[in-house]
Amino acid sequence: MHTPPPQVPLVMVGGGHAHLVALRQWIANGQRAPAGSLLINAQPYAWYSGMLPGLLAGRFSAAQCSIELAPLAAACGMELICDALLALDANSQAILLASGKRIGFAKLSLNAGALPSIDFLTDGSLALVGAKPFPGIVHQWHTWQAQPPAQLAILGGGAAGVELALALRISLPQTHLSLFCRSGLLASHPPRLARLVRARLSKAAVKLYEKLPIERVRDGKLYAGGRTIAQPDAVVLATGATAADWQATSGLDCDAQGFIRVDSQLRSSHASIFAAGDCASLPNTPHSGVYAVRQGPVIAHNLLTEADGTLQHYQPQARSLALLACGDGSALLSYGPLATQGRLAGELKDWLDLRFMREHRLPEQGD
């Protein structure tokens, strides 16, 4: 990308939570992006991560868990392009898309997500299905429903791994499920929540392995500690976030894990480039949709602020409410050191999730 193409005033890459909130805020405030601005997303829909376990458990439809982006973009005066970001040249202010199209920009906002972490060797003999991006696992789930696998291994001892294990237990009742944790189960959550989850997994007949990092996939088998520990039909990755390859070669300042460093204004090392959500790196801000949603209003304000204007600052919340779906309509809840479970927690989660979807759809898009 040597000769920069003509500049687009604003390019937003990714239909993640932060951008979704920003677009809806502009619409609510009667604001519009500069003429000619673009929204780029690989899919025509934005998927809401909080409802994925409910979808896999058969409680929600795909339509309930996704929002059509083209109407939102149009309402903000933007055009949606369904394409994937392949490369970014921050110094030349240009991006390259998977289709081969090159686009220059005056201002860029990145909410492009992240990839599942693969910290083991593999010979390709087992399918590795990431919990994100969502279209991939949803497609695989439909395949499994038609032809249920005998065994599935889920890697990741965080909230995502737990939710996926409990959801898949409901939709694949005959499949042997195993959950492998590199460290302890829900290590970043209160101990009581981990105890509640262990009981849930045991009741659901999900085999739990803690402090057992997978070292290798070879000949269709999982190895840990130098020995074979499972021979699943596929591996579901709920192993946390890894930065996309293009970030390391973008010219942006990135942290040791390859995520884009941003300041409290969500601005990168290049003043014209902002980043939010999983692709960004900010102190005390986990890669979680709960934090990305709070970044949306800051992105909304700062992208429409002129160079000499006052930018807003994002302050990550000191603690956040965690609601883990159990697949059956109940949920586990934790806040700070407190943890509980039950149907009321599930109703609260459903209410929050469905409210988010209502608030971020245009009226004509329906529920």
Side-chain angles (χ1 to χ4, degrees):
M1 295 194 296
H2 300 293
T3 304
Q7 284 193 339
V8 171
L10 171 63
V11 176
M12 300 174 73
V13 176
H17 293 10
H19 278 175
L20 196 61
V21 171
L23 293 174
R24 201 64 185 89
Q25 181 166 309
W26 288 346
I27 295 168
N29 293 342
Q31 296 173 296
R32 294 175 68 84
S37 295
L38 301 175
L39 172 64
I40 298 170
N41 195 61
Q43 302 288 330
Y45 299 95
W47 290 83
Y48 181 53
S49 60
M51 295 176 69
L52 178 66
L55 170 63
L56 299 185
R59 298 187 61 243
F60 300 118
S61 68
Q64 288 176 293
C65 304
S66 59
I67 296 175
E68 193 176 359
L69 287 172
L72 289 176
C76 298
M78 305 183 74
E79 178 188 353
L80 173 67
I81 294 179
C82 290
D83 210 333
L85 179 62
L86 189 63
L88 162 64
D89 186 336
N91 295 323
S92 297
Q93 295 186 222
I95 59 173
L96 175 64
L97 303 182
S99 63
K101 187 173 184 177
R102 298 173 60 213
I103 299 173
F105 59 84
K107 190 177 288 187
L108 174 69
S109 183
L110 299 165
N111 186 206
L115 301 174
S117 175
I118 302 175
D119 54 2
F120 52 86
L121 300 174
T122 178
D123 64 359
S125 57
L126 283 177
L128 304 180
V129 183
K132 293 181 180 180
F134 299 135
I137 191 170
V138 171
H139 174 77
Q140 185 62 66
W141 171 66
H142 284 299
T143 302
W144 288 336
Q145 285 189 303
Q147 187 173 356
Q151 294 189 47
L152 285 179
I154 301 166
L155 308 190
V162 169
E163 289 189 309
L164 286 172
L166 293 174
L168 291 172
R169 164 50 65 232
I170 291 175
S171 61
L172 302 172
Q174 303 305 315
T175 298
H176 178 79
L177 296 175
S178 300
L179 177 62
F180 294 90
C181 312
R182 170 168 285 278
S183 57
L185 179 70
L186 296 175
S188 63
H189 293 267
R192 172 170 165 74
L193 186 66
R195 290 195 296 270
L196 293 173
V197 168
R198 289 188 188 99
R200 282 272 184 167
L201 293 172
S202 177
K203 184 178 180 180
V206 176
K207 181 66 174 177
L208 175 64
Y209 297 86
E210 295 189 66
K211 299 181 180 179
L212 189 66
I214 301 302
E215 300 166 348
R216 179 187 297 272
V217 172
R218 186 175 64 198
D219 299 328
K221 301 173 183 177
L222 298 184
Y223 288 81
R227 60 188 176 88
T228 302
I229 56 169
Q231 191 170 358
D233 295 282
V235 177
V236 178
L237 301 175
T239 46
T242 291
D245 291 341
W246 60 261
Q247 295 178 197
T249 58
S250 65
L252 296 174
D253 181 28
C254 296
D255 66 13
Q257 288 72 47
F259 296 104
I260 301 164
R261 293 187 193 273
V262 294
D263 59 20
S264 63
Q265 300 168 335
L266 304 181
R267 196 160 46 173
S268 74
S269 54
H270 290 58
S272 61
I273 301 176
F274 295 77
D278 285 353
C279 69
S281 173
L282 189 67
N284 303 314
T285 307
H287 295 283
S288 165
V290 174
Y291 290 83
V293 166
R294 298 286 187 90
Q295 294 168 10
V298 178
I299 282 288
H301 175 85
N302 292 352
L303 289 183
L304 297 188
T305 300
E306 297 299 328
D308 57 350
T310 301
L311 299 180
Q312 288 185 359
H313 293 258
Y314 165 71
Q315 177 62 48
Q317 56 266 46
R319 59 177 60 173
S320 63
L321 176 68
L323 285 162
L324 279 64
C326 296
D328 60 357
S330 65
L332 298 121
L333 179 152
S334 73
Y335 185 76
L338 306 175
T340 188
Q341 64 178 331
R343 185 68 57 176
L344 285 177
E347 291 176 358
L348 174 61
K349 177 171 173 54
D350 285 350
W351 181 79
L352 291 171
D353 289 343
L354 293 171
R355 183 186 67 170
F356 181 89
M357 298 303 281
R358 285 194 302 271
E359 290 178 347
H360 293 87
R361 280 192 175 101
L362 295 179
E364 59 269 22
Q365 290 180 275
D367 294 331

